[in-house]
Amino acid sequence: MNATDQAAVDAFPELAHLITLRNGGWRFLPPVVRDGRPVEVDGFREWPGGWRDVIGVRSPTDVTGLRMTDEDPPGIVWERDGHLGEVVAALLTLPPPGDRLAPRLVVATGPTLWSPISPLAL
């Protein structure tokens, strides 16, 4: 862990979980900010074949992890809500999409993803 990461973890120990994901190849979007304060951090990991694992962190105790298909709209095949450490641990132990034990059954549908070439519905 570099000095910047260590200073962040010293101030906010929960960040160690997100650093673990980042060091494992996860990418994070710019945080959602309201009134000058970050209110949500979202990250994702893309798998070969279009599968995607995602995490949404609203607070250390309000976190959602998902695995989704590459369909439009995406199919949700796995979901976990809970504390940051619990959700990160579950994501890290989730078998890769090609593994015989990996979840494949779509249990819900996610929102259609907007892209710059898609018209916005107003």
Side-chain angles (χ1 to χ4, degrees):
M1 190 176 307
N2 64 38
T4 302
D5 289 350
Q6 188 60 54
V9 170
D10 289 346
F12 303 98
E14 298 90 1
L15 290 177
H17 300 294
L18 297 181
I19 291 169
T20 298
L21 290 179
R22 184 201 65 203
N23 291 346
W26 284 65
R27 294 184 284 173
F28 289 87
L29 303 173
V32 177
V33 177
R34 289 194 188 102
D35 298 324
R37 297 187 63 213
V39 295
E40 185 167 350
V41 174
D42 298 307
F44 65 97
R45 171 176 51 185
E46 293 181 305
W47 292 95
W51 295 86
R52 183 175 293 126
D53 293 344
V54 299
I55 189 168
V57 181
R58 291 160 296 283
S59 78
T61 59
D62 185 10
V63 180
T64 299
L66 302 169
R67 174 164 291 163
M68 300 184 302
T69 66
D70 66 343
E71 300 160 352
D72 188 19
I76 298 170
V77 299
W78 179 89
E79 182 174 3
R80 175 77 187 259
D81 295 307
H83 291 248
L84 181 58
E86 296 168 347
V87 174
V88 168
L91 284 163
L92 292 173
T93 59
L94 191 60
D99 189 279
R100 67 181 184 84
L101 299 176
R104 288 181 188 79
L105 179 65
V106 174
V107 295
T109 302
T112 301
L113 300 176
W114 176 83
S115 70
I117 59 172
S118 302
L120 283 173
L122 298 178

